[in-house]
Amino acid sequence: MRIWLINHYAVPPQYYPLARQNYFAKNLMRLGHEVTIFAASTVHNSDKNLIEDDTPYREDVVDGVHYVLIRCKGYHGNGASRILNMLEFARKLPGVCDKYPRPDAIVATSMPPMSCAAGIKLARKYGCRGIAEIADLWPESIIAYGIAGPHNPAVLWLRRLEKWIYTRADAVVFTVEGAYDYIKEQHWEKEVPRSKVYYINNGVDLDLFNYNKEHFRVEDKDLDDPEIFKVVYTGSIRRVNGLGLLLDAAKAVRDPRGRFLIWGDGDERPMLEQRVKDENIGNVVFKGRVEKKFVPSIVSRADVNIAHCISTPVDRYGISFNKMFEYFAAGRIVLSDFPTQYNPAVQCGAGITVNDVSPANIAAAVDKLASLPEEERRRFEENSRAAAHKYDFKNLTSELLEVIQSIPEKE
């Protein structure tokens, strides 16, 4: 089959690390399919634009994957310029796609919903299978983060667009398991039957993870110290990540061996490092930013890897943290603090969660894990490795292909 993956942000992963479409593309190609990724030329969370002249679009082949990058104006932050960037990509996408042979299937991703809707319209135009992949619940996330209220005109417009996508797509793939709970809350069950809704979470490329673990080792005295109980965080250090709560939790940990090792960077890091000094928090160490290829070396030497962020009401439908699946691949215990019944780490027996989130409860969970009997620890770690195989992108790609193939071929 000729398959198009349309994702506004899916530039080659050396520019932006969210590589879901890249992994799907590689594995679909291994299975004999022809794949093209369509993305905007702008690189999210950066000033980089991969088309700096007036060329309307550019083709690249990166590590064997065919990309079509559509020139869009750059943007900063989450204001008007980003919205205009989203609208520009959706507007330009059909004209660029028309220059390529008709696909057999289109998988179009939201966020943002505008390009996802454009992809579903193209599937209807070409008479091919159209799959909507929902990686972020818009506009529900906007409401949850307090950006706009439920009756805001933009939210109401996005809600109509969202429903249009769900009803017009041949299949809808969500990255969170409880998405149909959301559909029922919206009272869309008649228009969006459960039979067309699927769940494929994020995952990990196990081959790449294991290669990087072997070839890109971080030399760090804390990671190599057997006397330390290592609680590792990797990721951004911004307001939304809520690492101040981890500092408060660290102060409440009773086990003297416990130490929080934090890898990453962001605008809140200087303030948090100053807190560590001012408050004499001796069991927290900020390690700085590392390239993604070094992360397997780090998380594989943790005692506990912590999946942490400020929780929102959207979490009740499930979580799809990319780092959680790297934690599985590390074969270590996962500690999370997301109040949801749809938590892959808990479901797979790979770790525990803190549902009533507070510094004292996070600290108590760390102390509990630090005192686990060896047999129980091994069981968690075995379950973590098994979860990594379950969520290996080879398996996730097979699931996506099954969704595509379940849709009758169109005349």
Side-chain angles (χ1 to χ4, degrees), residues 114-163:
M114 292 78 96
S115 55
C116 181
I120 298 305
K121 288 179 183 177
L122 285 169
R124 293 164 67 84
K125 172 183 174 180
Y126 297 141
C128 69
R129 302 169 171 105
I131 297 92
E133 181 190 56
I134 311 302
D136 195 0
L137 286 174
W138 265 48
E140 197 65 21
S141 293
I142 296 175
I143 299 169
Y145 281 106
I147 298 171
H151 304 295
N152 182 287
V155 168
L156 295 175
W157 178 80
L158 285 167
R159 186 79 79 195
R160 289 193 295 271
L161 181 63
E162 176 190 34
K163 185 178 180 181

Side-chain angles (χ1 to χ4, degrees), residues 39 74 221:
K221 61 182 178 62

Side-chain angles (χ1 to χ4, degrees), residues 196-209:
K196 71 182 292 184
V197 174
Y198 299 85
Y199 161 60
I200 303 176
N201 210 318
N202 284 316
V204 61
D205 182 330
L206 266 182
D207 290 341
L208 179 61
F209 182 95

Side-chain angles (χ1 to χ4, degrees), residues 176-196:
V176 290
E177 187 177 0
Y180 207 74
D181 297 345
Y182 170 72
I183 289 172
K184 289 192 290 186
E185 287 176 13
Q186 302 301 320
H187 306 292
W188 294 344
E189 303 100 304
K190 289 184 179 179
E191 298 94 332
V192 190
R194 187 183 290 274
S195 59
K196 71 182 292 184

Side-chain angles (χ1 to χ4, degrees), residues 75-284:
Y75 62 91
H76 296 278
N78 294 311
S81 62
R82 185 180 182 191
I83 295 171
L84 291 173
N85 174 271
M86 295 176 188
L87 294 170
E88 182 182 15
F89 178 73
R91 175 175 57 83
K92 291 181 174 180
L93 179 68
V96 174
C97 288
D98 282 345
K99 301 180 184 299
Y100 292 87
R102 171 191 175 276
D104 300 296
I106 293 175
V107 180
T109 301
S110 175
M111 147 80 187
M114 292 78 96
S115 55
C116 181
I120 298 305
K121 288 179 183 177
L122 285 169
R124 293 164 67 84
K125 172 183 174 180
Y126 297 141
C128 69
R129 302 169 171 105
I131 297 92
E133 181 190 56
I134 311 302
D136 195 0
L137 286 174
W138 265 48
E140 197 65 21
S141 293
I142 296 175
I143 299 169
Y145 281 106
I147 298 171
H151 304 295
N152 182 287
V155 168
L156 295 175
W157 178 80
L158 285 167
R159 186 79 79 195
R160 289 193 295 271
L161 181 63
E162 176 190 34
K163 185 178 180 181
W164 185 94
I165 291 170
Y166 297 171
T167 55
R168 298 301 195 278
D170 294 311
V172 187
V173 173
F174 288 90
T175 59
V176 290
E177 187 177 0
Y180 207 74
D181 297 345
Y182 170 72
I183 289 172
K184 289 192 290 186
E185 287 176 13
Q186 302 301 320
H187 306 292
W188 294 344
E189 303 100 304
K190 289 184 179 179
E191 298 94 332
V192 190
R194 187 183 290 274
S195 59
K196 71 182 292 184
V197 174
Y198 299 85
Y199 161 60
I200 303 176
N201 210 318
N202 284 316
V204 61
D205 182 330
L206 266 182
D207 290 341
L208 179 61
F209 182 95
N210 290 328
Y211 177 88
N212 286 342
K213 183 174 84 169
E214 181 180 348
H215 291 85
F216 300 102
R217 178 181 172 86
V218 168
E219 300 300 331
D220 183 90
K221 61 182 178 62
D222 289 327
L223 284 176
D224 294 329
D225 188 343
E227 301 302 317
I228 292 174
F229 185 78
K230 298 169 278 290
V231 181
V232 167
Y233 171 91
T234 59
S236 297
I237 306 176
R238 296 174 295 147
R239 182 180 178 185
V240 69
N241 303 109
L243 264 69
L245 182 63
L246 290 190
L247 267 60
D248 293 334
K251 292 165 67 175
V253 169
R254 295 182 177 181
D255 194 314
R257 299 172 301 142
R259 188 170 299 177
F260 287 72
L261 308 178
I262 298 174
W263 269 270
D265 204 358
D267 55 13
E268 284 218 334
R269 180 182 161 194
M271 179 270 291
L272 294 171
E273 288 183 314
Q274 191 61 47
R275 264 200 65 189
V276 169
K277 293 178 182 177
D278 293 345
E279 299 173 28
N280 195 27
I281 308 174
N283 60 348
V284 174

